[in-house]
Amino acid sequence: MTATVTPASTQRAALLDRLTRAGERGVLRFITCGSVDDGKSTLIGRLLYDSKMLFEDQIRILEKDSRVHGTAGENEIDFALLLDGLEAEREQGITIDVAYRFFNTEKRKFIVADTPGHEQYTRNMATGASTADLAIILVDARRGVLTQTRRHTYIADMMGIRHAVVAINKMDLVSHSRARFHEIVSDYLRVAEELGFDTITPIPISARYGDNIFTRSANMAWHDGPTLMEHLESVETDAAEAADHAFRMPVQWVNRPNLDFRGFAGSIAGGRIAPGDEIVAAQSGKTARVARIVTADGDLDHAEAGQSVTLVLDREIDISRGDMLADAKARPDVSDQFAAEILWMAEEEMLPGRTYLLKAGGQVTPVSVTTLKHKLNVNTFEREPGVSLQLNEIGVCNLSTSRAIAFDPYAELRETGAFILIDRFTQQTVAAGMIAFSLRRASNVHAHAMDVTKGRRAELKGQRPAVLWFTGLSGAGKSTIANLVEQKLAAIGRHTYSLDGDNIRHGLNRDLGFTDVDRVENVRRIGEVARLFVDAGIIVTCSFISPFRAERMMVRELMEPGEFIEVFVDAPLELCMQRDPKGLYRKAQAGEIKNFTGFDSPYEAPQTPELHLKTADMTADAAAEEVIEQLIRRGMIG
Amino acid sequence: MSDIATQIRSYAARFAAPRPRTRALSPHLAALEAESIHIMREVAAEFERPVMLYSIGKDSTVMLHLAMKAFRPARPPFPLLHIDSLWEFRAMGAFRDALAEALGLQIIVWVNEEGRARQIDPFVHGSALHTQVMRTDGLLQALSAGRYDAAFGGGRRDEEKSRAKERIFSFRDARHVWDPRNQRPELWRTFNTRIRQGESIRVFPLSNWTELDIWQYILEDSIPIVPLYFAGERPVVERDGTLIMVDDGRMTLAPGETAQMRKVRFRTLGCYPLTGAVESDAGTLEDIVLEMLTARTSERAGRLIDFDEAGSMEKKKREGYF
């Protein structure tokens, strides 16, 4: 047990003064990038130790751990052990995720994101970088600028970090050589010259011995720049720069406790606001003036970027979560088509055409990548062609959202130019996106209003249009059943059309093969064609293997609720192989066809189809009857 | 206690009629406050059944304070939940009830009835079993019973190594399990709040606060806390180098052991048999902050449950502990 003592009153004033000054420069967030061997964890450990953030019991545990797991010398503290949080990682001797550390000096509070240097964990570095004001790029003085240095530099720049520190570490192992330092600095500046940092600050350090971290190194008196800490204490933060942008506040939550109060709660992402200022709800274009800035500490006469407030407007306009309030005279882009850089963070590849969920501020909307323009190689900074993005790959893409969103280019304001993509089945975050520019103004695109409507066309035919989507393995009986359904509908005077491999693959989609990317595009086009037929008032049957849930869901969402009827034509693979109506399984077995569904390409069965037909136990005609009954039950036909 | 009751009432009054600050918050505290408020509003907007864990300690009380600020003039749009281990300091229960009443908030007090029936006693059964049954199991029961899809906790990343890696929005599967190797990437302030039926998210709005930030904020924003945080003459017994306060008659003294009155305070609060006191003269918030500035022992050192091995908190967290 350690007793603590209240300091004597003479010290009180000095300490309290130190405390109130501690936060005067606010919070600086930074990341450290480097590999396990560059001494990254040692540097952070050193910062915590020298800023006196470690407690006696933590030092005791550290000393004990250093003996068990440490790689430093006998009786030396291995600072790196402070950082490796999770048990398994400690045993492997590597850090695998993003960890956050805190320390403060007399001037500033610091939040450090410790991110790993391993290639497969690009996403972790991007995560740490997304909120950082500054990046410390560690270079081992013996090894100089490496491929990974380029990679870290590129990602830091892509994530919008404006200030880079090149910390050339282990100077003690190169005899504190000034020439070596300058050699590495000029190599580095060649790497970074085409990127967009506001400042690049090279500092020669030794994390292990503390040289040029908090105190100026006697070994490197030739260094005339700042120490690491001098620089960290003085650099400008992102929040300060965001205040100079035009006003932006994404609405998080509408505060309506009673009929007398209606306020819009949010965090100010950019600029400043005061009562009387005119704002616009970006998506609707409706304007109003700010009447009050409400906080729990009373109303404010102004507020700026970084503050969480509640705005009351002078008139009622329709605003809800996801809307962006903005300076009426400097509005953000509002568009459903834009170009963006995307960092893919999931094991399952990104496929153009597939629908994901996009989340930007409070805005959530389905989205798809319409074009992958090119991939970016983070090691060489070169553009490379590609059809899909794998884990940790970066691509420049065009995206199309279901609803227009409000945004600013990421390079101008990170908070309103950033988005994430979410997989709709696993709910995982699969990508980080940075918007580059709008491809068009949604407000300029007006749908041409037709006088003869979908409803009118359907009415003339005495039916409600629908898509009967038959999915299942090859040989399950999709086309056979669809054909019978069409015959039965024709017999009762209904207007139909059938889409299947024969009339689609040989014409509209003859440029597509059977890779995953092409399968997605195949189904997307079929969906669009089906939508046109539905618009014409027709009941359309579609018979396609359509192996992926995501694409079937995409087609479903193209239609109005109730129009899409998924029919799972379900037969065991063995039975399908036995039937083999087109001889395709034989060819697949012989290796003549690649990517054959059920054979060497997956089939994702529907989880909740409108109709599940088990064709092993029923005739095709009985199956077709069930489909007709389904149409009657749903009021599609009388 | 009348003193603290008065203090709590006048504290509650400021949310009914807010007054402008006479002195601005320190810039770094203002930034932390704004971030926490942002997080809480995201939860209120995106989840159907959020709940806020309220443990009565200083961090929880700061979290509740931030919630009062985030939604004013509305009340926080979620209930509070206290997992009562039946072994907390008596002063904590009194504080909880007075605060909830003054703020007009609903507080759900959950006890693991199975544990109560088994008469789980930390003195008899040890800290590990007591914590598992009364805290972890009790928490999981309460979360399942309430079908909560989001639960706020007052954890800070500076508390302990495994917390430093946890996300602000931390995913839990249908069995409430945390998988540290499969966490969702968390970028900017864009939180992925999507979950499937039965899954949930633990939300840590104080992730980026340090212990010193918490104390400085309590000082600068005048937040009432349980009086046990302040030094006072209290009956304590020294066991294995730790000072344990004799808070009620359930603590039986070993032969030769006697309770001594010593001037002590607590840096964390929880179950009294598991919470060590420190000798201190810090009678005011200023004293406490000053003591913090010169303290050389981290606060978890007062929590007996962390002492078994370095990785113990991570194990508990994977099992569902906050």
Side-chain angles (χ1 to χ4, degrees):
Chain A
M1 188 209 72
T2 312
T4 51
V5 181
T6 307
S9 60
T10 46
Q11 291 174 285
R12 287 181 68 109
L15 275 168
L16 275 179
D17 182 52
R18 184 184 143 194
L19 181 67
T20 43
R21 276 188 293 118
E24 78 188 14
R25 299 274 300 141
V27 181
L28 184 86
R29 295 170 187 252
F30 66 92
I31 57 165
T32 49
C33 334
S35 77
V36 186
D37 306 326
D38 294 332
K40 178 168 52 79
S41 297
T42 306
L43 173 65
I44 301 173
R46 167 63 68 180
L47 288 169
L48 298 180
Y49 189 79
D50 283 359
S51 63
K52 316 240 178 330
M53 295 308 289
L54 297 183
F55 294 109
E56 279 169 5
D57 56 324
Q58 288 175 321
I59 293 172
R60 271 203 310 277
I61 290 173
L62 181 62
E63 284 166 352
K64 188 172 142 254
D65 284 0
S66 294
R67 284 193 293 275
V68 180
H69 301 282
T71 54
E74 191 79 7
N75 295 326
E76 244 186 90
I77 290 182
D78 184 355
F79 291 115
L81 290 177
L82 269 178
L83 281 303
D84 299 335
L86 307 185
E87 282 175 277
E89 289 167 41
R90 194 160 51 202
E91 279 150 24
Q92 290 167 22
I94 52 163
T95 324
I96 62 157
D97 205 281
V98 188
Y100 296 89
R101 300 289 158 186
F102 308 85
F103 66 96
N104 55 273
T105 63
E106 296 203 1
K107 293 212 176 98
R108 246 188 189 156
K109 174 185 169 80
F110 297 94
I111 302 179
V112 193
D114 180 19
T115 64
H118 270 252
E119 180 151 26
Q120 63 269 41
Y121 297 116
T122 298
R123 69 173 208 178
N124 295 334
M125 182 184 156
T127 301
S130 70
T131 52
D133 302 298
L134 175 146
I136 296 179
I137 301 189
L138 272 155
V139 177
D140 184 327
R142 295 168 303 173
R143 296 163 50 180
V145 173
L146 304 175
T147 299
Q148 62 155 6
T149 316
R150 301 173 70 93
R151 178 161 66 237
H152 298 149
T153 301
Y154 189 89
I155 296 168
D157 177 65
M158 175 180 80
M159 297 308 292
I161 292 179
R162 292 172 201 272
H163 304 286
V165 170
V166 194
I168 297 166
N169 191 24
K170 306 195 183 181
M171 287 301 290
D172 52 299
L173 298 181
V174 295
S175 316
H176 303 103
S177 161
R178 180 183 194 167
R180 180 63 182 145
F181 173 72
H182 284 298
E183 184 188 352
I184 295 171
V185 169
S186 65
D187 283 354
Y188 185 81
L189 292 178
R190 270 198 299 281
V191 167
E193 67 188 353
E194 53 196 287
L195 303 176
F197 295 112
D198 288 353
T199 66
I200 297 174
T201 310
I203 305 175
I205 63 167
S206 165
R208 190 160 170 190
Y209 300 105
D211 292 55
N212 284 337
I213 310 287
F214 273 74
T215 51
R216 207 153 270 285
S217 167
N219 298 315
M220 291 176 278
W222 47 265
H223 175 61
D224 50 11
T227 63
L228 180 59
M229 193 42 66
E230 282 165 1
H231 184 63
L232 294 180
E233 283 181 337
S234 62
V235 75
E236 199 64 55
T237 65
D238 241 40
E241 290 177 19
D244 293 332
H245 192 275
F247 174 72
R248 300 283 186 264
M249 189 186 93
V251 173
Q252 280 189 284
W253 188 71
V254 179
N255 193 341
R256 187 145 215 202
N258 54 56
L259 292 175
D260 301 328
F261 187 90
R262 183 179 170 81
F264 304 102
S267 306
I268 301 176
R272 301 177 170 86
I273 193 79
D277 289 354
E278 190 183 25
I279 57 97
V280 62
Q283 289 91 331
S284 72
K286 296 268 183 4
T287 59
R289 284 186 189 279
V290 174
R292 296 172 59 196
I293 304 171
V294 176
T295 75
D297 294 310
D299 286 9
L300 305 182
D301 55 15
H302 71 279
E304 63 177 44
Q307 286 182 271
S308 288
V309 295
T310 300
L311 299 184
V312 176
L313 304 179
D314 68 342
R315 75 200 76 148
E316 243 186 64
I317 57 175
D318 190 24
I319 294 172
S320 55
R321 175 173 169 82
D323 282 326
M324 191 194 290
L325 304 185
D327 182 339
K329 289 185 282 300
R331 304 181 182 201
D333 284 307
V334 176
S335 179
D336 58 359
Q337 310 249 330
F338 50 85
E341 267 183 304
I342 285 184
L343 164 62
W344 196 250
M345 302 193 287
E347 294 285 348
E348 197 180 342
E349 66 186 336
M350 184 282 282
L351 297 176
R354 177 167 283 185
T355 313
Y356 302 97
L357 280 182
L358 174 144
K359 184 169 186 190
Q363 308 175 99
V364 180
T365 172
V367 65
S368 64
V369 171
T370 51
T371 316
L372 171 56
K373 292 199 282 191
H374 52 84
K375 297 203 280 191
L376 287 165
N377 184 320
V378 293
N379 298 327
T380 62
F381 303 179
E382 273 165 11
R383 297 175 170 194
E384 292 171 355
V387 290
S388 68
L389 290 178
Q390 310 290 330
L391 176 65
N392 288 319
E393 285 190 331
I394 295 160
V396 174
C397 306
N398 290 344
L399 291 96
S400 169
T401 52
S402 296
R403 271 181 296 112
I405 63 164
F407 61 84
D408 294 289
Y410 185 75
E412 287 175 21
L413 192 62
R414 285 160 110 182
E415 179 125 10
T416 54
F419 62 86
I420 59 170
L421 298 183
I422 299 169
D423 183 282
R424 298 197 303 165
F425 292 97
T426 64
Q427 313 283 19
Q428 283 289 333
T429 304
V430 291
M434 285 71 66
I435 300 179
F437 51 85
S438 171
L439 290 171
R440 68 174 189 208
R441 286 196 176 275
S443 50
N444 295 342
V445 182
H446 298 288
H448 190 77
M450 302 286 188
D451 294 327
V452 180
T453 61
K454 177 177 173 181
R456 178 77 183 119
R457 289 185 208 108
E459 199 182 310
L460 284 170
K461 299 185 180 67
Q463 64 189 35
R464 280 173 55 202
V467 175
L468 287 163
W469 189 276
F470 295 89
T471 174
L473 296 173
S474 177
K478 299 182 297 296
S479 295
T480 312
I481 297 167
N483 186 31
L484 286 168
V485 168
E486 199 176 14
Q487 283 177 27
K488 287 175 195 286
L489 288 171
I492 54 171
R494 303 300 167 185
H495 299 256
T496 61
Y497 192 74
S498 286
L499 297 173
D500 60 26
D502 289 338
N503 57 17
I504 291 289
R505 279 280 183 188
H506 297 149
L508 178 65
N509 288 0
R510 74 171 165 222
D511 57 326
L512 300 177
F514 290 88
T515 61
D516 285 356
V517 172
D518 282 358
R519 282 176 187 274
V520 170
E521 176 61 15
N522 179 46
V523 174
R524 189 192 70 80
R525 291 185 197 172
I526 294 161
E528 291 291 348
V529 172
R531 177 158 75 163
L532 294 177
F533 276 106
V534 166
D535 200 49
I538 286 172
I539 297 171
V540 48
T541 66
C542 299
S543 311
F544 298 95
I545 298 173
S546 49
F548 303 134
R549 265 177 221 130
E551 279 62 61
R552 296 193 301 263
M553 185 188 240
M554 174 177 75
V555 178
R556 180 186 291 273
E557 284 174 358
L558 285 174
M559 310 301 161
E560 285 175 31
E563 282 179 351
F564 183 87
I565 298 166
E566 187 172 35
V567 183
F568 179 22
V569 184
D570 184 8
L573 179 63
E574 300 71 42
L575 182 60
C576 294
M577 291 177 79
Q578 202 182 311
R579 287 177 184 162
D580 203 8
K582 297 174 189 164
L584 295 172
Y585 285 101
R586 269 192 305 281
K587 286 188 182 169
Q589 270 174 312
E592 291 166 35
I593 315 178
K594 287 265 175 282
N595 301 323
F596 196 66
T597 301
F599 200 76
D600 57 352
S601 184
Y603 178 77
E604 299 169 2
Q607 287 166 328
T608 51
E610 274 76 9
L611 200 56
H612 187 165
L613 303 172
K614 293 187 176 161
T615 59
D617 311 325
M618 66 200 304
T619 64
D621 192 70
E625 274 306 321
E626 273 203 38
V627 176
I628 298 291
E629 269 173 41
Q630 188 70 217
L631 286 175
I632 294 169
R633 208 172 316 135
R634 288 171 183 271
M636 297 306 196
I637 52 176
Chain B
M1 280 307 290
S2 68
D3 210 24
I4 185 72
T6 316
Q7 207 187 323
I8 286 172
R9 272 196 301 277
S10 88
Y11 167 73
R14 72 196 250 190
F15 294 106
R19 287 184 309 271
R21 305 186 62 88
T22 49
R23 194 176 160 199
L25 273 181
S26 293
H28 75 289
L29 294 180
L32 290 170
E33 179 187 77
E35 180 186 73
S36 300
I37 287 175
H38 176 88
I39 292 163
M40 290 180 178
R41 288 171 171 173
E42 283 298 290
V43 172
E46 297 231 328
F47 290 89
E48 283 171 25
R49 295 180 65 82
V51 68
M52 179 171 277
L53 268 291
Y54 181 64
S55 76
I56 318 175
K58 63 181 195 312
D59 303 286
S60 261
T61 304
V62 164
M63 179 166 67
L64 173 57
H65 176 79
L66 291 164
M68 291 299 295
K69 285 191 151 187
F71 302 103
R72 223 207 67 82
R75 291 234 176 86
F78 39 76
L80 303 179
L81 172 63
H82 175 223
I83 307 302
D84 189 340
S85 76
L86 303 175
W87 284 88
E88 275 139 344
F89 292 97
R90 285 173 300 159
M92 292 170 69
F95 182 88
R96 173 195 72 198
D97 295 342
L99 190 62
E101 197 202 324
L103 295 175
L105 297 176
Q106 183 201 355
I107 183 155
I108 300 158
V109 178
W110 184 276
V111 177
N112 179 356
E113 291 301 337
E114 201 189 312
R116 195 204 304 259
R118 284 165 63 194
Q119 296 188 310
I120 296 292
D121 180 334
F123 290 118
V124 177
H125 301 100
S127 69
L129 184 72
H130 169 74
T131 303
Q132 174 68 38
V133 172
M134 299 311 288
R135 292 259 187 242
T136 307
D137 294 353
L139 172 67
L140 301 187
Q141 288 167 358
L143 292 179
S144 298
R147 291 181 292 110
Y148 301 115
D149 51 4
F152 289 104
R156 291 180 281 106
R157 284 173 175 158
D158 77 324
E159 272 178 85
E160 198 273 331
K161 284 190 203 175
S162 68
R163 287 205 197 281
K165 300 202 171 193
E166 188 159 11
R167 306 293 188 253
I168 294 172
F169 281 63
S170 187
F171 178 82
R172 294 293 187 278
D173 69 14
R175 291 174 301 123
H176 303 283
V177 171
W178 180 53
D179 179 359
R181 294 195 168 271
N182 189 25
Q183 300 195 78
R184 292 175 175 179
E186 195 163 82
L187 294 104
W188 305 288
R189 294 198 288 182
T190 310
F191 302 109
N192 178 355
T193 55
R194 298 185 73 86
I195 50 170
R196 288 177 286 205
Q197 192 76 37
E199 296 169 341
S200 62
I201 305 266
R202 302 270 177 96
V203 185
F204 299 97
L206 303 182
S207 287
N208 291 326
W209 296 60
T210 60
E211 186 185 14
L212 183 58
D213 294 330
I214 294 284
W215 280 116
Q216 195 179 344
Y217 185 68
I218 289 170
L219 172 68
E220 290 191 22
D221 221 23
S222 311
I223 304 167
I225 48 170
V226 180
L228 292 166
Y229 284 111
F230 299 101
E233 293 286 336
R234 300 189 171 99
V236 292
V237 170
E238 190 169 337
R239 283 188 182 168
D240 304 324
T242 304
L243 294 179
I244 301 296
M245 176 172 157
V246 185
D247 195 52
D248 61 32
R250 291 178 293 179
M251 180 167 174
T252 43
L253 300 183
E257 239 180 13
T258 50
Q260 304 167 304
M261 292 304 284
R262 290 216 218 163
K263 195 159 190 190
V264 296
R265 67 178 205 89
F266 295 87
R267 291 176 60 189
T268 62
L269 293 180
C271 301
Y272 82 82
L274 304 177
T275 309
V278 289
E279 289 194 273
S280 168
D281 289 320
T284 67
L285 281 170
E286 271 192 12
D287 292 341
I288 290 174
V289 171
L290 288 168
E291 192 183 274
M292 265 298 298
L293 286 175
T294 49
R296 303 308 318 146
T297 309
S298 75
E299 61 184 328
R300 295 204 81 87
R303 292 194 194 174
L304 302 187
I305 54 170
D306 281 349
F307 272 175
D308 30 0
E309 56 186 292
S312 71
M313 178 55 84
E314 186 191 333
K315 279 194 193 122
K316 276 195 281 291
K317 284 176 65 59
R318 282 198 300 240
E319 287 158 8
Y321 188 77
F322 247 95

